Amino acid sequence: MKVRSLSRQLAIPLVVVALGLAACGSDSGEAPHGSAAELGTTNDVNPHDVTDLRDGGNLRLALTALPPQWNVLHTDADGEVAGVLRPMMPRAFRTDAAGNLTVDTNYFTSVELTNTDPQQVVYTINPKAVWSDGTPITWEDIRSQAAALSGADPAFLIRMNFGFDRVEKVERGVDDKQAIITFRQHWADWKGQLAGEGFLFPKSVTGTPEAFNKSLVDGILLTGGPFTVQSVDRAQGRIVLGRNPKWWGDTPKLDTITYTVLDSSAFIPALQNNEIDAVGIATRDDLKTAQGIPGVAIRRAPGNVWSHMTFNGAPGSLLEDPGVRVAISKAIDRQGIATAIQNGLVQTPRPLGSHVYVQGQTGYQDNGLPFDPDAAARELDALGWKLNGDVREKDGRRLEIRDVMYNDQSWVQIAQIIQQNLARIGVRLVIDTKPGKGYFTDNIKPGNFDVAHWVWSGDVFVLKNLPQVYRYDPNDLQGNYGRVGSPEINALIDEALAELDPAKAVELANRIDRKIWEIGHSVPLMQSPGNLAVRAGLANYGAPGLASYDYTKIGFVK
């Protein structure tokens, strides 16, 4: 559930990932060994020293669609493009399996909070760091990105502001390789401004709205990582990354990384046919199939992605009334969904009870609404939605809601369970599947749904997601595609974002989460169990948990 995951997280919406869905009904199998470990305690990437790896090789991965927008900072970007960009773009911090941060010294020799009144952060850029055309990476790139994401110019169609709306100025430091950021308001997640999914882009991309919005629609030219784009074949649905000849860090072990567009139903067959090297496990049947493929290992670490259902509460919509959304939320048996879907893939299936944190994170609390269909029915009665046959009506409108999702068996299974839940209280759910291509731009972003499903994914910086997804400003939706919010939630978000004490920030984040449940913004469903099928000889790649990959160290064992 992505794009758009954390002792903290950054939200990125994904059309589909391996949610860990299994056939509904009784289960005679056992959960995979190791699947009970919580996020933040482990990862499973087949670690090897680079001396154990052969030089060269092609890592083959799958996508559900070519990126509709290669600028991950843009509102049209989907979650999959972030995965394509990670081997190519600068970020300030690396994370380990526990979510601990260290400066990525390939790009910055130091990143320091030097003052709190006013808050100041100093980025010192690696002297060797250059863009793929040889142009130095400088403080001007940071200043340009800060201006683009500030929100001062609405012509920049930003996905989120990463706290740059609180920045007063970005100045040159001791030389062109140092940037000093001064805030006019505190920003709690300051380490995430140029980390997680906050890739640093060159000023040629962020300098003008025209460049920001349009220059990366068809591809990306300037990059700054160990890999760069070698080719994009739209006819074949294929992207190939090759080694960046201007890269100043350790030489990658791989020659290329290839992404091929496939329907999700073709992922496991492609693994069987030796066409791709890694795929998320989506069903218990997929797990059994993958376990039988010679030379394939199952890597397991709980995932930092989660599925959810978003309501469309826009003015005039069928679900505009928060009372209706809350009643519907109470009628959804989230524990029943988790049990039916993840039985056999995790040892103790549990629904996700937070919009902010995932299970295993510091700060996680189950703030979810109770499953109470009888109460839901009474609340709909009180709101004037009366049963007429099998479906409720009010003022000539029937409570028939259209559930939009990517056309994948796993999403349809979830929707069918919800369909049965809601039929019990007189709400009819119509399942409306869509292709991966244009899913967000044609359906979710314009609000072409009553309820919709996708995956949220994140990183270790949780607070910056709050304004992106849960603040409501009709003139700046960012990731609040359901158009649901309240002034009280907006004010609490501002308070949390200004809190530099981590414990107090966690307390505020949970207050916000409870308010989000109370207005029926959306319904978190399940956290991914993080089971992946990977070529056994592929090293330093697999189920990373909270950890980030070092793309120079991924490769095939000799």
Side-chain angles (χ1 to χ4, degrees), residues 386-393 398:
K386 303 297 186 180
L387 273 175
N388 184 359
D390 294 331
V391 181
R392 293 177 181 272
E393 291 185 352
R398 286 165 61 85

Side-chain angles (χ1 to χ4, degrees), residues 493-516:
I493 287 173
D494 287 339
E495 187 177 351
L497 295 177
E499 182 53 70
L500 298 183
D501 182 323
K504 292 180 181 178
V506 165
E507 180 182 346
L508 285 166
N510 276 293
R511 284 179 60 192
I512 292 165
D513 182 46
R514 288 189 289 272
K515 294 296 181 182
I516 293 169

Side-chain angles (χ1 to χ4, degrees), residues 32 77 116 136-137 147 197 301 379 408 448 460 545 551 557:
T116 58
I137 298 174
E197 305 307 336
E379 290 168 16
D408 178 81
N448 182 23
V460 297
Y551 286 90
V557 177

